[in-house]
Amino acid sequence: MLKLTVNPRTVGSITAALKKIREMIMTGAAAKDTPVHMLLEAGTYTESVRYNLPNPLILESTPGTKPEDCIIQVDNCESFNRGAENRGVFVVGPSATNVKIKSLTILNTHLKSVLEGQTTLDSGEAFVWNNTDGTLLAEDVRFTGRQNVLTLKGFTWFKNCEITGDIDVISGEAKTAFFEDCLITIREDNRGDYNGYAVKSRAVPDGQGFVFFNCRFTGDRRKKSSLYVARTEGKGNAKSLNGWDNIALLNCHVSDAFNPELVWDDDMELDVYPRGNAANGVREYNTRTVAKNGTVTEADTAQRNVKSYLLTKDDYFARYASRYLILKDTPFGQIDE
């Protein structure tokens, strides 16, 4: 294993360390399957990080460091660098195999400037998993930005993470993106009173999509606009290779600041596909509503989007009652945590 300790005293220190590793692999000093363990000392690293090596990577703060005390940040967005693979703070490419990140903060400091709608120019990820075959495990990580905080493909697992943004906070062409004991927060839009959306699923058909297990959804209340757990692009269909509205809420707590429809579809002008069922689509089980005063009650699901589905107890215990059931048919079922 290659073990490196990095500190923020030098500009671009994480990038420099990764460059050194890449050179070692190219010269044969290290094998392509040699694991890399990088420890980050407390402080702020102002740089964009790119990782696209096959070497398994563990990136974490030094022991005892709180996530908020170890920060990777930069101001980046589509108008600065085109494409999700270029506009993020931390981007993992298609050659990666197994990546673990732990106990740190990834922050895109960009403030949106376009005053109308959800424009591509203001998209600016904190983290991009541009990988369809490898696996990501993020634990005790804070991801913060504005529009498109997480963009995900393939297989990802987030444990005890905090994800904060204002529009399409979590999105992408995921196969299975598993969120366990996470806090998802829709913050106030820096431009004014606009709708906020936690998830924009463009999932591929052959996975479980975005699965939220024992998670909490909260947000800054709007005066006129609304908060939604999800919104559709209306592009999914039986023949499409992506664009599916595939989201599961399992034992989640949702603030009463959210619209009770949960899923925005432009007043049914857009198709939510597929219709929710036990295996995919928008589905939920045992959702709890959290009032402004903190009172927790069973969710009133009468106003849910008509394409959503309430899982039965049989559905839940057959497919979703444990981490094992959810992940057993993914690459996470064959690797150690």
Side-chain angles (χ1 to χ4, degrees):
M1 175 178 286
L2 296 175
K3 193 167 184 178
L4 302 89
T5 300
V6 181
N7 65 67
R9 292 190 290 273
T10 302
V11 176
S13 56
I14 300 175
T15 300
L18 292 175
K19 181 180 179 181
K20 182 184 296 184
I21 294 168
R22 184 168 58 250
E23 290 172 349
M24 292 175 66
I25 295 170
M26 292 179 65
T27 60
K32 292 184 178 179
D33 59 353
T34 301
V36 177
H37 188 185
M38 186 177 295
L39 290 169
L40 303 183
E41 294 184 356
T44 299
Y45 299 79
T46 305
E47 59 181 299
S48 294
V49 177
R50 303 289 181 268
Y51 189 76
N52 194 30
L53 298 174
N55 302 65
L57 172 68
I58 298 174
L59 178 70
E60 61 181 330
S61 61
T62 52
T65 303
K66 296 179 181 179
E68 61 268 29
D69 293 332
C70 184
I71 304 169
I72 304 172
Q73 69 174 38
V74 77
D75 181 351
N76 201 1
C77 68
E78 178 72 15
S79 60
F80 299 164
N81 296 289
R82 292 184 179 276
E85 68 278 9
N86 299 312
R87 67 189 183 218
V89 176
F90 195 124
V91 179
V92 179
S95 297
T97 51
N98 300 317
V99 175
K100 298 180 181 180
I101 54 178
K102 185 176 180 180
S103 298
L104 50 89
T105 294
I106 301 175
L107 168 64
N108 194 326
T109 61
H110 181 69
L111 291 177
K112 295 188 294 184
S113 58
V114 181
L115 296 180
E116 295 297 332
Q118 298 87 49
T119 67
T120 302
L121 291 176
D122 268 327
S123 296
E125 282 82 355
F127 185 83
V128 178
W129 180 255
N130 187 27
N131 183 294
T132 57
D133 299 314
T135 58
L136 166 75
L137 172 59
E139 185 174 2
D140 295 319
V141 180
R142 296 183 176 184
F143 302 91
T144 302
R146 291 286 175 179
Q147 183 172 320
N148 302 105
V149 177
L150 297 181
T151 292
L152 309 172
K153 292 183 178 180
F155 300 98
T156 56
W157 178 3
F158 299 83
K159 292 179 60 180
N160 195 35
C161 292
E162 296 182 14
I163 305 104
T164 303
D166 57 23
I167 292 175
D168 302 339
V169 180
I170 301 167
S171 65
E173 300 172 7
K175 291 185 178 179
T176 298
F178 179 52
F179 296 81
E180 181 181 12
D181 297 315
C182 292
L183 173 63
I184 298 92
T185 301
I186 300 181
R187 67 199 300 195
E188 183 179 0
D189 194 312
N190 70 273
R191 304 167 304 165
D193 193 352
Y194 290 86
N195 282 355
Y197 310 99
V199 186
K200 183 178 71 175
S201 170
R202 294 180 283 115
V204 299
D206 59 342
Q208 297 184 78
F210 297 84
V211 180
F212 298 89
F213 187 77
N214 297 337
C215 292
R216 293 167 290 150
F217 290 80
T218 188
D220 295 327
R221 297 171 185 269
R222 298 337 192 214
K223 293 181 179 179
K224 296 181 180 179
S225 302
S226 297
L227 304 182
Y228 293 87
V229 167
R231 78 177 181 99
T232 183
E233 285 191 317
K235 296 181 178 180
N237 59 70
K239 296 181 179 180
S240 63
L241 300 178
N242 52 39
W244 280 33
D245 299 301
N246 206 3
I247 301 166
L249 303 180
L250 308 168
N251 307 314
C252 290
H253 285 57
V254 179
S255 166
D256 66 357
F258 283 78
N259 189 299
E261 290 184 11
L262 288 192
V263 180
W264 178 91
D265 62 358
D266 197 16
D267 293 329
M268 299 184 69
E269 292 295 320
L270 300 174
D271 189 26
V272 180
Y273 186 88
R275 179 179 287 275
N277 57 73
N280 50 37
V282 179
R283 55 219 191 268
E284 65 179 297
Y285 180 83
N286 192 35
T287 305
R288 293 289 185 264
T289 298
V290 183
K292 190 174 182 179
N293 64 6
T295 301
V296 178
T297 58
E298 181 178 353
D300 181 357
T301 59
Q303 297 183 58
R304 294 294 196 249
N305 187 288
V306 295
K307 289 294 187 73
S308 66
Y309 175 75
L310 296 178
L311 295 163
T312 66
K313 284 187 176 181
D314 288 343
D315 295 333
Y316 177 73
F317 285 105
R319 295 175 178 268
Y320 305 108
S322 68
R323 176 196 300 166
Y324 168 76
L325 286 174
I326 296 168
L327 297 179
K328 66 183 180 68
D329 293 327
T330 75
F332 290 112
Q334 286 78 49
I335 67 172
D336 293 331
E337 181 182 327

